[in-house]
Amino acid sequence: MPKTATFENALAHPVFKTIAKAAHNLQLESYVIGGYVRDYLLERGDAKDIDIVAVGSGIELAKEVSNLLPGKPKVSIFKNYGTAMLKSGPIEIEFVGARKESYNENSRNPAVEDGSLEDDQKRRDFTINALAFSLQKENFGLLLDPFNGLDDLNNKIIRTPLDPDITFSDDPLRMLRAIRFATQLDFLIEKASLAAITRNAERINIISQERIVDEINKILMTPVPSKGFGLLLKTGLLPHIFPELVALQGIEEKEGQRHKDNFWHTLEVVDNIAQTTDNLWLRWAALLHDIGKAPTKRFDKKIGWTFHAHEFVGSKMVYKLFKRLKMPLNEKMKFVQKMVLMSSRPIALASEVTDSAVRRLIFDAGEYVEDLMTLCEADITTKNPNKFKKYQNNFKLVRDKIVEVEERDHIRNFQPPVSGEEIMKTFGLDPSREIGIIKDAIKEAILEGEIPNEYEAARKYMLTKGAELKLTPVK
Ligand code: CTP
């Protein structure tokens, strides 16, 4: 592609003409910059976010654009950052004035000065994100690329426009962004930039957990997340973000017995599950399914390496981890906990798929039983093709059995067929221990297959249990 390529097609949407007109009215230059340009050149589909840089006031430009748009959309102004945002239909447009900028050592609060387009491009994170399209009439669509971002795009390279120590020190989150983009786009991080991440890794500690988690989520949502996590480990970022994962790394040998490297195993599981689900939380569950193995690891002379109760310990760690990472402590977290806690259940079951074991699995996993199976299938990482096939077939049997049992017994979203109220009425009881005992006995009898999950059978069973407890029905 020639260095002076023009991309008018990229700016075919009428909103670009409107921005150009507004900039013309204010007699300032404006450019499309960043992700929109990058993704257009990568043919990654239509971006919904557009970043505009104005040589002058971005806020004034936003206001003028709003004046020219039908319905004059509301302009949100972020004075501290000197930015403004408006929405035109589904498109979100962010405006910023071109800046020369340097950040303080210990905070993200920038000292800002007005600058030229090139000043602004210079202080962006990567050459591929510093590409800009002109919105000036005389060169509408011209690509402005002072740092050879187009070459880097074509060669699949992540590189900082300035000395990487400066770029990363300006905003240490960019170290994570470099890894996220490398994973998302399947690019390589150029050597000097990679070395700078390793050198500056510790600076990630000044970044808020929310911004870090945003990047982790994006890495998790890529087709091969292990690439990102591998880079996080290699650069030394991971211990600052996720020491619990790092603790899974390594293989120990005692008396000729080795255990597998649970870090790399975990990443394999995440890659596997990335092929079968786009559910972010199920991907989190894959990432954390063995997290309890580091603190529970023991060597037993008779049985070798054990990770006793690692699922339980792991599910407790999920809460602490979510809390530290300032992630939501809501039903998503509970879902991840449940998956971690139950992550070995279908494996234990696969050797003998009895109806009652399947009923208990459905009862405990409830609406998430398929998600649990998806996790367990992703957990098969054996390199032995015969074993692989065998485990897969076993899980297929479990899945079939789940369908069969559920069709017959309706255990999912289990509702006790006889209510506590009915038990109280039948035996003339006030709220008391006995009611719980009878309810529990009915549930157990259903799960064990002693009685069907039906009202009549459950009522009869209640009467028998009542008699055992020396209760008599009132007339
Ligand atoms: N940018 C930057 N440093 C950051 C964040 C953003 O230099 N820490 C610049 C980059 O030029 C980037 C642009 O701001 O392209 C817009 O940032 P953002 O919307 O966060 O990212 P995109 O590049 O649009 O990509 P994505 O939407 O995938 O995050």
Side-chain angles (χ1 to χ4, degrees), residues 33-36 38-39 44 49 51 94 103 108 123-126 128-130 171 173-174 177 180-181 184 211 215 218:
I33 196 159
Y36 182 88
R38 178 197 69 223
D39 288 346
R44 285 184 87 214
D49 291 347
D51 290 297
E94 201 169 315
Y103 289 80
R108 286 210 67 251
R123 46 154 286 272
R124 288 186 178 259
D125 51 4
F126 308 114
I128 61 164
N129 287 343
D171 178 2
L173 182 75
R174 290 168 168 172
R177 281 172 62 91
R180 187 256 291 186
F181 281 118
Q184 227 173 21
R211 295 181 80 210
E215 295 300 325
K218 286 181 181 172

Side-chain angles (χ1 to χ4, degrees), residues 85-97:
M85 196 273 284
L86 62 79
K87 275 188 164 179
S88 173
I91 303 175
E92 226 175 76
I93 314 172
E94 201 169 315
F95 298 83
V96 64

Side-chain angles (χ1 to χ4, degrees), residues 28-162:
L28 47 80
E29 291 172 18
S30 65
Y31 302 87
V32 187
I33 196 159
Y36 182 88
V37 181
R38 178 197 69 223
D39 288 346
Y40 176 83
L41 295 170
L42 285 173
E43 300 177 10
R44 285 184 87 214
D46 273 354
K48 290 277 170 284
D49 291 347
I50 300 174
D51 290 297
I52 301 291
V53 56
V55 183
S57 166
I59 294 173
E60 290 310 313
L61 179 59
K63 287 181 185 164
E64 181 65 10
V65 171
S66 164
N67 276 335
L68 298 182
L69 282 171
K72 294 196 189 349
K74 181 173 157 277
V75 179
S76 313
I77 297 172
F78 308 96
K79 243 190 161 161
N80 288 349
Y81 295 98
T83 63
M85 196 273 284
L86 62 79
K87 275 188 164 179
S88 173
I91 303 175
E92 226 175 76
I93 314 172
E94 201 169 315
F95 298 83
V96 64
R99 289 176 290 189
K100 267 188 194 162
E101 198 170 306
S102 64
Y103 289 80
N104 297 332
E105 265 285 293
N106 294 311
S107 91
R108 286 210 67 251
N109 295 333
V112 187
E113 262 178 71
D114 291 346
S116 66
L117 171 69
E118 195 165 325
D119 288 331
D120 191 277
Q121 285 172 302
K122 223 182 252 170
R123 46 154 286 272
R124 288 186 178 259
D125 51 4
F126 308 114
T127 59
I128 61 164
N129 287 343
L131 292 158
F133 289 140
S134 167
L135 291 175
Q136 278 53 258
K137 215 182 197 154
E138 59 280 8
N139 58 7
F140 195 76
L142 180 72
L143 180 69
L144 294 133
D145 179 20
F147 304 104
N148 298 321
L150 192 54
D151 286 344
D152 285 344
L153 261 192
N154 289 329
N155 297 323
K156 301 180 131 225
I157 298 223
I158 306 287
R159 183 201 314 269
T160 57
L162 295 177

Side-chain angles (χ1 to χ4, degrees), residues 143-406:
L143 180 69
L144 294 133
D145 179 20
F147 304 104
N148 298 321
L150 192 54
D151 286 344
D152 285 344
L153 261 192
N154 289 329
N155 297 323
K156 301 180 131 225
I157 298 223
I158 306 287
R159 183 201 314 269
T160 57
L162 295 177
D163 174 343
D165 283 323
I166 296 172
T167 301
F168 292 140
S169 158
D170 277 353
D171 178 2
L173 182 75
R174 290 168 168 172
M175 300 188 284
L176 259 185
R177 281 172 62 91
I179 291 173
R180 187 256 291 186
F181 281 118
T183 314
Q184 227 173 21
L185 305 174
D186 197 18
F187 277 31
L188 275 181
I189 302 175
E190 169 267 341
K191 222 168 141 201
S193 299
L194 192 67
I197 298 178
T198 310
R199 243 187 337 269
N200 293 292
E202 193 228 349
R203 296 258 302 154
I204 200 68
N205 291 318
I206 68 165
I207 299 299
S208 74
Q209 299 291 351
E210 288 88 344
R211 295 181 80 210
I212 291 174
V213 168
D214 260 3
E215 295 300 325
I216 296 289
N217 283 343
K218 286 181 181 172
I219 292 173
L220 270 177
M221 288 312 286
T222 62
V224 188
S226 66
K227 181 171 176 179
F229 286 98
L231 281 168
L232 289 173
L233 182 74
K234 182 172 161 183
T235 52
L237 279 168
L238 202 58
H240 296 290
I241 302 171
F242 238 134
E244 301 87 344
L245 265 184
V246 182
L248 294 179
Q249 199 203 355
I251 298 172
E252 235 183 295
E253 184 169 331
K254 264 191 190 167
E255 300 179 14
Q257 302 227 42
R258 291 153 65 90
H259 62 77
K260 66 179 169 219
D261 184 313
N262 286 303
F263 178 76
W264 293 105
H265 161 73
T266 291
L267 293 191
E268 263 189 77
V269 178
V270 175
D271 283 351
N272 285 345
I273 215 159
Q275 292 184 27
T276 50
T277 181
D278 282 336
N279 176 345
L280 171 66
W281 303 104
L282 194 46
R283 291 185 181 202
W284 266 103
L287 186 67
L288 300 180
H289 80 286
D290 273 349
I291 203 76
K293 278 197 171 170
T296 56
K297 185 168 103 171
R298 303 276 178 278
F299 185 76
D300 182 302
K301 281 196 178 309
K302 286 197 195 109
I303 27 182
W305 292 104
T306 66
F307 303 91
H308 181 64
H310 77 84
E311 301 88 346
F312 177 75
V313 171
S315 74
K316 297 282 167 217
M317 289 170 76
V318 169
Y319 171 78
K320 285 193 198 138
L321 216 139
F322 270 49
K323 194 158 182 213
R324 191 190 71 228
L325 294 175
K326 301 223 166 65
M327 289 169 66
L329 300 174
N330 56 13
E331 72 285 358
K332 306 291 183 208
M333 192 260 319
K334 288 195 187 138
F335 166 77
V336 176
Q337 279 191 308
K338 186 163 215 163
M339 290 297 105
V340 173
L341 181 65
M342 295 192 69
S343 56
S344 303
R345 286 275 297 276
I347 300 166
L349 206 154
S351 52
E352 203 200 341
V353 197
T354 63
D355 282 16
S356 59
V358 169
R359 269 192 296 270
R360 282 187 189 281
L361 185 74
I362 304 175
F363 180 81
D364 290 337
E367 58 184 310
Y368 303 125
V369 69
E370 275 89 18
D371 286 336
L372 181 64
M373 293 311 297
T374 303
L375 174 61
C376 288
E377 282 154 358
D379 201 1
I380 313 174
T381 59
T382 171
K383 298 293 164 290
N384 176 330
N386 290 333
K387 277 193 186 169
F388 184 88
K389 238 200 158 88
K390 189 180 123 199
Y391 296 151
Q392 241 190 356
N393 284 341
N394 281 345
F395 284 140
K396 170 100 182 50
L397 287 181
V398 178
R399 276 202 191 255
D400 290 349
K401 198 82 179 168
I402 288 171
V403 174
E404 181 200 313
V405 166
E406 178 56 23

